[in-house]
Amino acid sequence: MAAEDISGQTLAGISLPAVVRSPWWELSRRLLLAVGILVGTVLLVWFDNEGYHDNNDPTGEVDLVDSIYYTTVTLSTTGYGDIAPVAEHARMINAFVITPLRIAFLVLLIGTTLEVLASQGREMFRVARWRRKMEQHVVVIGYGTKGRSATATLLQNGLNHESIVVVDPNPTALEDAHDDGLAVITGDATRREVLRRAGVETASQVIITTARDDSAVLATLTVRQLNPDAYIVAAVREQDNVPLVRQSGADAVVTSSEAVGRLLGLSSLSPTLGEVLEDLLTYGQGLEVAERDLLVTEVGKSPQSLPDQVIAVVRDEKVYRYFDPVVTQMARGDRLVVVRPAKETPWAPRPGTHGEDTTVDED
């Protein structure tokens, strides 16, 4: 399949950016073209008025007013026949000059109308089709630095662009999200109608990265009221606001200022440790922190004996550190939080899909 960019223009695998102009510019340009055709035809008939005859005028002469009248009825294909070319050269000019101008005039007017109707209809169809597919998607509220980084991580881990919707009132964020190939709902995320347009009620996850903590609290409350089952992750600047955001309905809260401050402090005390932590936070190179399923062949083993560097075990929706006595032996259904090379796939398939032996020896 030929590659397609966000502009939708594809030709033999070559993607070209769309030239975006103001609708008013396009309308003005077409109106000027139409006026130019009218004026040009009027001048053409008037300068050659001796080749025309006015059947309603006893003298048969065609003046400037008659030229304007003849041009309007001719270009509009009305053609009353009261003014007609009689000279041979005037008829040839009508055939080879005025007739193409008439066609161009009609194409210009009709084409503009059809383009407006077609573009509106196409956009309505696209929106309707997009809404039908919006289920179990991810809504990203706020497309600043944190929102873009979160979205990039989702995309790099296999989520497709059609499964992410951005909500942001900033026109700059709208352009950035469109450049990244994402659907955007422009508006205040603390308002119900805006979140409904983003399909929050059917979303599986909501990421909230607003610029202010009070906006994060209101957005979390509204999202939780609209969708009690969505997994909500929110970012706040101040640690003191974490309990408030959790009480508002967030499942996970990340304190951006605390995390950055801790990383700065560790980098100052131990540059090597800061480098390792930065490596873990940077996607696509060095080391990655990932979560994967426990394979069938790993059941009954200790976390320390697995090929991955296990740092935590998720059992019954509760997180245990790898050294916790509760998880000294792996059990079916466990999930592992591991540190592994970035080149490896972070999300391992479900057990039994690697072609491994699915039988477990029991003593």
Side-chain angles (χ1 to χ4, degrees):
M1 180 180 293
E4 180 173 346
D5 65 348
I6 59 173
S7 65
Q9 296 187 4
T10 304
L11 180 61
I14 301 176
S15 299
L16 301 176
V19 178
V20 180
R21 295 189 178 98
S22 167
W24 291 108
W25 188 93
E26 289 287 347
L27 182 60
S28 300
R29 182 178 67 87
R30 298 190 182 201
L31 285 176
L32 288 175
L33 287 174
V35 171
I37 293 174
L38 285 169
V39 173
T41 307
V42 169
L43 294 176
L44 187 63
V45 175
W46 186 36
F47 289 148
D48 191 33
N49 60 354
E50 294 181 358
Y52 294 81
H53 185 272
D54 186 354
N55 297 319
N56 292 332
D57 191 337
T59 63
E61 295 181 355
V62 176
D63 56 15
L64 179 59
V65 175
D66 294 328
S67 299
I68 297 174
Y69 166 75
Y70 175 78
T71 297
T72 56
V73 298
T74 299
L75 293 183
S76 63
T77 68
T78 305
Y80 294 112
D82 46 356
I83 299 177
V86 292
E88 183 175 345
H89 72 277
R91 292 181 178 181
M92 296 301 291
I93 291 175
N94 262 264
F96 294 104
V97 179
I98 294 181
T99 297
L101 288 174
R102 180 191 303 121
I103 295 174
F105 185 79
L106 292 176
V107 168
L108 189 65
L109 295 182
I110 297 174
T112 300
T113 304
L114 291 178
E115 182 177 340
V116 171
L117 294 177
S119 61
Q120 290 179 348
R122 183 169 61 250
E123 190 64 22
M124 291 175 62
F125 176 77
R126 288 180 60 199
V127 171
R129 183 176 60 181
W130 172 77
R131 289 194 179 281
R132 286 197 300 268
K133 294 181 179 180
M134 278 299 99
E135 191 173 18
Q136 297 301 303
H137 57 289
V138 179
V139 177
V140 179
I141 297 175
Y143 204 67
T145 303
K146 291 177 288 187
R148 287 196 300 272
S149 298
T151 302
T153 302
L154 294 175
L155 294 174
Q156 290 161 348
N157 280 279
L159 202 66
N160 57 52
H161 291 76
E162 291 76 17
S163 299
I164 301 176
V165 181
V166 173
V167 179
D168 199 298
N170 193 332
T172 303
L174 183 146
E175 294 179 4
D176 292 340
H178 278 174
D179 290 341
D180 294 336
L182 301 173
V184 183
I185 304 298
T186 304
D188 185 357
T190 62
R191 301 177 60 183
R192 289 173 175 266
E193 58 270 22
V194 174
L195 293 177
R196 285 196 174 101
R197 291 206 303 269
V200 164
E201 293 163 313
T202 58
S204 61
Q205 299 178 35
V206 179
I207 299 175
I208 300 174
T209 61
T210 56
R212 295 172 47 179
D213 288 0
D214 55 349
S215 298
V217 173
L218 289 174
T220 303
L221 278 170
T222 309
V223 170
R224 183 55 73 201
Q225 289 177 352
L226 293 174
N227 190 339
D229 300 322
Y231 187 83
I232 302 176
V233 181
V236 295
R237 292 177 178 272
E238 303 298 333
Q239 180 68 30
D240 293 342
N241 294 324
V242 171
L244 184 59
V245 177
R246 286 192 179 275
Q247 291 173 9
S248 300
D251 297 286
V253 183
V254 178
T255 311
S256 57
S257 58
E258 289 282 341
V260 173
R262 180 170 176 78
L263 181 58
L264 290 172
L266 290 174
S267 299
S268 176
L269 293 173
S270 173
T272 304
L273 180 56
E275 183 178 347
V276 173
L277 290 176
E278 185 178 0
D279 180 17
L280 292 174
L281 294 174
T282 303
Y283 185 87
Q285 59 184 4
L287 298 174
E288 295 284 354
V289 178
E291 181 181 342
R292 71 168 178 85
D293 292 307
L294 182 73
L295 301 181
V296 173
T297 54
E298 296 171 339
V299 174
K301 296 182 178 179
S302 66
Q304 293 86 347
S305 65
L306 301 183
D308 287 326
Q309 298 295 320
V310 180
I311 58 176
V313 177
V314 182
R315 177 178 295 177
D316 298 329
E317 304 302 324
K318 187 175 180 180
V319 179
Y320 297 92
R321 306 297 182 264
Y322 72 93
F323 51 79
D324 197 303
V326 177
V327 292
T328 52
Q329 287 187 328
M330 297 291 93
R332 286 181 179 270
D334 287 347
R335 295 183 60 82
L336 307 177
V337 178
V338 301
V339 176
R340 64 196 319 185
K343 62 182 179 180
E344 297 185 24
T345 304
W347 311 103
R350 293 288 179 182
T353 59
H354 279 241
E356 71 272 8
D357 184 7
T358 58
T359 60
V360 180
D361 294 331
E362 295 183 1
D363 295 333

